[in-house]
Amino acid sequence: MAEEEKNVVYIGKKGVMPYVLAVVTQFSSGSDEVIIKARGKLISRAVDVAEIVRNKFLQEVKIKSISTSTEEVTGQSGQPSKVSTITIVLSK
């Protein structure tokens, strides 16, 4: 795994808490920075994860940056479509 990829938490279809625990675990294991990434409808879950980490678990963690972009993905039908993405960088 690349150095910059080991502190990345990709948001998927699980509930919020597994991702919150993943972020907290990254910080507990010595990371100074954790990156949360999500696409499409899961963007709101990424925001929830960042806010729960900051407000309930690790109050010293700050949002370093938030960036948005658009990726082109190929759907099940083979048609390309554009999907919004978000990257939230949390740091101690």
Side-chain angles (χ1 to χ4, degrees):
M1 193 177 317
E3 181 67 29
E4 63 274 357
E5 287 291 311
K6 72 177 183 181
N7 296 338
V8 178
V9 175
Y10 293 97
I11 304 299
K13 297 185 189 241
K14 296 179 192 167
V16 173
M17 288 313 291
Y19 302 109
V20 169
L21 293 174
V23 172
V24 171
T25 302
Q26 287 288 332
F27 280 119
S28 300
S29 65
S31 297
D32 290 330
E33 197 171 88
V34 177
I35 301 164
I36 301 170
K37 292 188 174 189
R39 304 197 293 200
K41 295 176 183 175
L42 299 173
I43 288 174
S44 63
R45 186 167 298 157
V47 173
D48 291 344
V49 168
E51 288 302 301
I52 291 169
V53 168
R54 289 179 53 231
N55 294 323
K56 301 259 190 261
F57 290 93
L58 302 169
Q59 282 81 16
E60 73 275 11
V61 169
K62 303 286 183 233
I63 294 176
K64 183 176 180 182
S65 67
I66 298 174
S67 60
T68 59
S69 62
T70 304
E71 290 181 6
E72 190 166 299
V73 295
T74 305
Q76 293 171 339
S77 64
Q79 296 284 61
S81 62
K82 296 192 183 302
V83 178
S84 299
T85 66
I86 190 168
T87 302
I88 304 170
V89 181
L90 301 177
S91 66
K92 278 191 170 177

